[in-house]
Amino acid sequence: MLSTLRYEDLPSYEIGLEKGMERGMETGIKKGIQEGKVKIAKTMKQEGIEIDLIARITGLSIQVIKTL
């Protein structure tokens, strides 16, 4: 008699799921850090801080800061 195979029951499914979740978390963290840098750069630019200084502090490129 044949039984139904479910991916959830395979050990490799759990490993793949865990790796996928880790990658998703890493991507989310990186995106959050980048968004934080942009927010800080916008505020600094609004306060009249020189673009060169903003770039050094945030690590963002001058081109990116100019577009904010």
Side-chain angles (χ1 to χ4, degrees):
M1 182 153 52
L2 295 173
S3 62
T4 304
L5 177 64
R6 296 174 359 133
Y7 290 109
E8 298 87 13
D9 295 335
L10 298 173
S12 60
Y13 176 82
E14 286 184 29
I15 293 169
L17 183 62
E18 287 178 23
K19 287 183 181 181
M21 289 177 69
E22 285 177 19
R23 285 188 199 142
M25 296 270 296
E26 288 173 11
T27 300
I29 290 168
K30 288 178 184 178
K31 184 177 179 184
I33 290 170
Q34 184 69 14
E35 288 174 0
K37 289 180 179 185
V38 168
K39 185 175 180 180
I40 290 168
K42 281 182 182 179
T43 302
M44 293 174 77
K45 189 175 175 186
Q46 290 170 350
E47 292 295 323
I49 297 173
E50 292 182 21
I51 291 177
D52 290 344
L53 180 57
I54 298 171
R56 285 196 312 256
I57 291 171
T58 63
L60 297 173
S61 71
I62 291 172
Q63 294 80 12
V64 168
I65 295 167
K66 285 182 178 180
T67 65
L68 300 177

